[in-house]
Amino acid sequence: MDMKRTLTHEWHNIRHLRAMRIYLDEEKCIGAWQCYEVCPVDCWTPNYDTRKVEFHGEDVCVACGACVLQCPEDAIELR
Ligand code: SF4
Ligand code: SF4
């Protein structure tokens, strides 16, 4: 198993142990796309029409927190 797959596997285990989930406040989202750019496992899709991001990573998010730290509008919570 290569390093990225090993790390992703371990992050998945940690997320399940901590039972953490992403909560997106669409009202705050301004379509800056930082979450989309930093997510290591492609949990986000930009919607260029609405200027809102869409989260579809319930099963793959590894709870790394990168999107939470990068969002300029504090639109994402991990808890
Ligand atoms: S980083 Fe924040 S404001 Fe930008 S698209 Fe993602 S949720 Fe929306
Ligand atoms: S916490 Fe955010 S950046 Fe990290 S894997 Fe989950 S959705 Fe992607």
Side-chain angles (χ1 to χ4, degrees):
M1 194 181 285
D2 65 35
M3 182 62 80
K4 182 174 179 183
R5 284 180 61 198
T6 302
L7 286 172
T8 301
H9 179 73
E10 291 304 321
W11 275 108
H12 272 294
N13 289 341
I14 291 167
R15 177 174 69 96
H16 286 300
L17 284 171
R18 293 154 81 198
M20 299 188 87
R21 287 190 51 205
I22 286 287
Y23 295 86
L24 169 67
D25 184 341
E26 286 194 6
E27 294 295 314
K28 290 184 177 178
C29 177
I30 59 169
W33 314 141
Q34 276 97 325
C35 52
Y36 165 67
E37 289 169 3
V38 299
C39 181
V41 289
D42 298 329
C43 289
W44 304 93
T45 300
N47 185 323
Y48 296 107
D49 294 327
T50 62
R51 295 296 299 181
K52 303 286 181 185
V53 77
E54 295 167 4
F55 180 71
H56 52 80
E58 291 85 358
D59 295 329
V60 295
C61 171
V62 294
C64 69
C67 58
V68 178
L69 291 173
Q70 290 297 317
C71 179
E73 300 299 319
D74 292 329
I76 307 169
E77 278 188 58
L78 187 62
R79 53 185 153 90

